Amino acid sequence: QITLKESGPTVVKPTQTLTLTCTFSGFSFTTSGEWMGWVRQPPGKALEWLALIHWDDDERYSPSLRSRLTITKDTSKKEVVLKMTNMDSVDTGTYFCAHTSGGFGGLSVFDVWGQGTMVTVSS
Amino acid sequence: SYELTQPPSVSVSPGQTATITCSGSNLGEKYISWYQQRPGQSPVVVIFQDNRRPSGIPERFSGSNSGNTATLTISGTQAMDEADYYCQAWDSSAFIFGSGTTVAVL
């Protein structure tokens, strides 16, 4: 059974860099077609995909946020890390770690989600 | 950029059928997933690749996709189905989520 757990700061200041960690268990993240990544949700609003990383370190980003995002992984620690620079109040929301299967494309599905971590951007 | 449009809310009586639509240009040419998000919880996939149900998802959830509209149908809706539902597609190397629909079981 795959489980994901997010961790990181609950509050960041405007212009700061947010660093979130997803710790996973129940799989080795060495299978072709498996990706891990991040989806966020502002309070009361819709889900928004941010980034994905493949087991072979292939990285994919939301085009609208690409310049601010970096996703990395440490398979030995079973961690996936997301960095988002230049945080603003509009970035306030819940950040979910997610596992996908089906490759990167139309067959992909976010099949396992973490519990999410709320991040507030405030001075 | 590609957009997926959903009605903000749908109301249904217990035991009746709830129909949630997701609209987008030539949507029928893409695979659609549907996610259920109960209040305060993480999303859960209920339909993927238009009409496939993950193990553990009740048979009352079904999906279809044709033309410009994908549809999630909940037959025999139960109180536990009250939640937000999001459609999701893949377009131009990005994952797109719909605006979300709140299903109220009244």
Side-chain angles (χ1 to χ4, degrees):
Chain A
Q1 178 189 358
I2 297 173
T3 61
L4 311 174
K5 186 171 184 180
E6 305 88 347
S7 60
T10 56
V11 180
V12 296
K13 291 180 168 53
T15 75
Q16 285 188 335
T17 294
L18 170 69
T19 299
L20 295 174
T21 300
C22 175
T23 303
F24 59 87
S25 63
F27 74 112
S28 59
F29 200 17
T30 57
T31 302
S32 178
E34 277 188 317
W35 296 71
M36 289 277 298
W38 295 88
V39 175
R40 71 176 180 180
Q41 184 174 38
K45 296 189 177 181
L47 302 166
E48 178 183 23
W49 170 64
L50 299 178
L52 283 176
I53 189 166
H54 196 220
W55 68 273
D56 65 356
D57 289 325
D58 188 2
E59 304 162 29
R60 304 298 174 97
Y61 297 99
S62 165
S64 62
L65 292 167
R66 174 187 300 271
S67 63
R68 298 175 54 204
L69 298 173
T70 303
I71 187 170
T72 58
K73 67 173 178 61
D74 186 331
T75 306
S76 64
K77 292 184 178 179
K78 292 188 176 289
E79 293 181 347
V80 173
V81 175
L82 180 76
K83 292 185 184 293
M84 178 180 285
T85 61
N86 195 24
M87 293 292 285
D88 182 84
S89 58
V90 298
D91 297 313
T92 292
T94 299
Y95 286 72
F96 295 99
C97 177
H99 173 277
T100 73
S101 58
F104 181 79
L107 294 175
S108 299
V109 56
F110 293 90
D111 54 3
V112 183
W113 296 68
Q115 64 188 19
T117 185
M118 178 65 192
V119 178
T120 300
V121 183
S122 174
S123 56
Chain B
S1 61
Y2 195 81
E3 292 186 0
L4 296 174
T5 302
Q6 299 180 235
S9 62
V10 167
S11 297
V12 60
S13 299
Q16 299 304 302
T17 297
T19 301
I20 306 162
T21 58
C22 174
S23 299
S25 178
N26 298 315
L27 192 56
E29 297 177 2
K30 306 177 188 301
Y31 278 118
I32 293 295
S33 296
W34 289 92
Y35 300 86
Q36 175 194 68
Q37 187 179 31
R38 295 189 175 109
Q41 296 188 19
S42 305
V44 173
V45 57
V46 294
I47 292 290
F48 67 103
Q49 293 175 15
D50 292 343
N51 53 23
R52 299 179 64 182
R53 271 181 298 104
S55 60
I57 299 302
E59 291 184 8
R60 64 179 181 273
F61 288 90
S62 62
S64 63
N65 185 17
S66 178
N68 295 318
T69 304
T71 302
L72 174 68
T73 302
I74 311 173
S75 304
T77 306
Q78 300 183 9
M80 65 186 301
D81 300 329
E82 195 161 88
D84 292 330
Y85 291 82
Y86 294 92
C87 58
Q88 174 254 307
W90 186 81
D91 179 82
S92 300
S93 298
F95 293 100
I96 311 297
F97 287 94
S99 46
T101 298
T102 299
V103 171
V105 183
L106 305 175

